[in-house]
Amino acid sequence: MITTTGAVYACLGIGVLLAAVLPRLLFRLPVSVPMVFLAAGTATYLLPLPLPSVDPVTDRIWVEHLTELCVITSLMGAGLAINRPFGWRQWSTTWRLLGLAMPLTIGATALAAWWLLDWPLSVALLLAAVLAPTDPVLASEVRVGEPTEAEYDEDEVRFALTSEAGLNDGLAFPFVLAAVALAAAGDGWSTGWISHWVLSDVLLRIVVGLAVGVGAGLLLGRMVFRSDTRSFRLSENGGGFVALGATFASYGITESLHGYGFLAVFVTACTVRRFEHGHGYHKVLHEFTDQIERLLMAVLLFGVGAFVATGALSHLTWRGAVVGLLLHLLIRPVSGWFAQFGGRGGRKERVVTAFFGIRGIGSLFYLAYACGKGDFGTYQNEMWSVVIFTILVSVLLHGASAPPVIAHLDRLGDNAPQSRTG
């Protein structure tokens, strides 16, 4: 007889092996690794095996912390991979996507949920904020590759989507906290909670996240690459796990100071990346985080597939499905295109950047977190169904379309790396 322990270890072992093999097997095919793990989780849980139940509503704490670990690991990897120097002009597309596309997307999605689903404004705002973070991890073709010596070898599409995801994972937090505060106030607006939200949840927490991120990055960069003491100069004798230590330290310190840890981790990674830019140790750090990220992504998406097989979509209505489809097919593309109007890149690049607003692991974290902080009562199950459905659509739609679309842009030369002057 197959035991639960044996079944779990067998699934984990097969999953780890697949995480190592699939990227090579599926390269340039319209099938992504996340699609395989979602399908595997669903298929496995449809079999008569003694597997543990998967329910993010009842096991919220586990879901929150596992997704949290995956997000901060991916943020460190994204920051270490970006070669382009930080700057207002060089990152102009990123600022446009963060300052215009994200608020417009949140507002339009909240309005759609409020109108179509007849939800209270706090619940509609929470759903929109939860779905705000983008996640190119689920379609590797649209994110930057490994670190290189050149500073300007990244095309605008991959750079924009990677840098946007690195920052909006943290900048979605104020909107989530606004929804929690609005729910606590009984969906009533008052100067009391709004002023506290602006001063504390927007300004103070962002400043703390940025300050700790820059400070930790400078300290770690000097220690790893330029320390006078050879034992501390980890670029000469350290392993890739140093990146994990930097991730945990930056995140933990920032959270202890009530700042946004997601923001701090990405800023830490970008700051460390500027030290000894051409040094091969950056590649070592990135490869380690990439491996950890792939393993966590495989586990989480297998779990999402398992949840789908056991009733994740049982509370999904056609109106909820329409909200998810509107986000991918109308709201994000339009807001993304509008935000880039008059900016860098060609017309086709802007269309692709606007379209690939991928939703994934960050949305799972934010929903689990918010459900633990606020009372959203009977709407929790329906919110989970809408979020899971939206992620499924994203994995299938973007995962299948990314390889041919990006390959087409590369062949046309419209997706060429940007020059120093841009």
Side-chain angles (χ1 to χ4, degrees):
M1 177 181 292
I2 300 176
T3 64
T4 299
T5 302
V8 169
Y9 273 107
C11 289
L12 286 174
I14 295 171
V16 170
L17 293 173
L18 287 175
V21 173
L22 285 175
R24 294 176 178 271
L25 291 178
L26 302 178
F27 182 67
R28 293 298 185 185
L29 292 178
V31 178
S32 67
V33 175
M35 291 166 66
V36 173
F37 279 107
L38 276 172
T42 303
T44 301
Y45 268 74
L46 290 175
L47 298 174
L49 297 173
L51 295 169
S53 63
V54 178
D55 186 353
V57 178
T58 57
D59 299 323
R60 184 196 61 78
I61 294 178
W62 282 99
V63 174
E64 178 183 338
H65 291 304
L66 191 57
T67 53
E68 181 181 43
L69 178 60
C70 185
V71 170
I72 61 176
T73 303
S74 66
L75 289 174
M76 177 59 68
L80 290 171
I82 291 178
N83 298 315
R84 187 177 302 188
F86 183 83
W88 181 256
R89 186 173 183 181
Q90 295 93 325
W91 288 50
S92 61
T93 304
T94 309
W95 308 138
R96 288 167 172 269
L97 292 172
L98 293 172
L100 292 174
M102 188 172 75
L104 288 173
T105 299
I106 291 174
T109 305
L111 183 62
W114 172 76
W115 180 56
L116 285 170
L117 298 171
D118 196 27
W119 284 356
L121 186 57
S122 59
V123 181
L125 177 59
L126 177 60
L127 178 70
V130 161
L131 293 174
T134 54
D135 190 359
V137 172
L138 300 189
S140 59
E141 291 78 8
V142 298
R143 63 174 177 174
V144 298
E146 61 186 22
T148 64
E149 294 183 10
E151 292 186 338
Y152 292 88
D153 67 342
E154 299 154 336
D155 62 74
E156 193 64 19
V157 171
R158 291 184 176 93
F159 169 77
L161 291 172
T162 304
S163 57
E164 178 198 12
L167 288 169
N168 71 11
D169 265 318
L171 296 179
F173 235 125
F175 297 97
V176 173
L177 294 178
V180 173
L182 184 59
D187 276 62
W189 300 91
S190 69
T191 55
W193 78 258
I194 293 176
S195 60
H196 177 271
W197 175 74
V198 172
L199 293 175
S200 177
D201 297 337
V202 177
L203 298 177
L204 182 60
R205 289 180 181 238
I206 289 177
V207 169
V208 171
L210 291 173
V212 174
V214 172
L218 291 173
L219 179 63
L220 288 167
R222 291 185 181 277
M223 182 186 74
V224 169
F225 293 100
R226 301 176 185 174
S227 175
D228 294 331
T229 305
R230 188 169 184 178
S231 297
F232 288 102
R233 206 180 309 135
L234 297 173
S235 59
E236 297 181 2
N237 52 23
F241 62 88
V242 171
L244 205 57
T247 302
F248 292 161
S250 177
Y251 186 75
I253 293 171
T254 308
E255 289 293 313
S256 298
L257 296 175
H258 303 289
Y260 290 132
F262 287 173
L263 182 61
V265 170
F266 183 72
V267 172
T268 296
C270 291
T271 305
V272 170
R273 183 72 184 94
R274 302 318 306 160
F275 280 85
E276 305 295 339
H277 187 272
H279 201 290
Y281 191 55
H282 288 294
K283 186 176 180 179
V284 174
L285 295 174
H286 177 263
E287 286 179 346
F288 184 86
T289 57
D290 184 63
Q291 290 172 356
I292 300 299
E293 175 191 309
R294 275 194 286 165
L295 289 176
L296 292 171
M297 178 270 293
V299 171
L300 286 168
L301 289 181
F302 185 91
V304 171
F307 185 38
V308 170
T310 56
L313 303 180
S314 59
H315 294 88
L316 181 69
T317 64
W318 72 267
R319 294 178 184 270
V322 169
V323 172
L325 291 173
L326 281 174
L327 172 63
H328 287 308
L329 301 178
L330 181 63
I331 295 173
R332 161 66 188 203
V334 172
S335 62
W337 169 259
F338 176 78
Q340 297 176 84
F341 188 77
R344 296 164 67 97
R347 181 179 61 84
K348 292 180 180 178
E349 289 177 289
R350 295 175 193 173
V351 170
V352 173
T353 302
F355 174 72
F356 282 102
I358 302 165
R359 268 57 187 179
I361 305 303
S363 297
L364 299 177
F365 165 79
Y366 277 122
L367 184 54
Y369 173 88
C371 289
K373 293 293 182 181
D375 182 14
F376 295 95
T378 58
Y379 297 101
Q380 287 192 44
N381 287 320
E382 192 172 357
M383 277 195 292
W384 274 107
S385 290
V386 174
V387 169
I388 294 294
F389 172 78
T390 306
I391 293 173
L392 290 176
V393 171
S394 184
V395 170
L396 296 175
L397 177 64
H398 298 129
S401 60
V405 169
I406 296 298
H408 179 66
L409 278 183
D410 290 341
R411 285 194 302 270
L412 292 177
D414 291 342
N415 205 24
Q418 299 296 303
S419 67
R420 183 178 298 271
T421 59

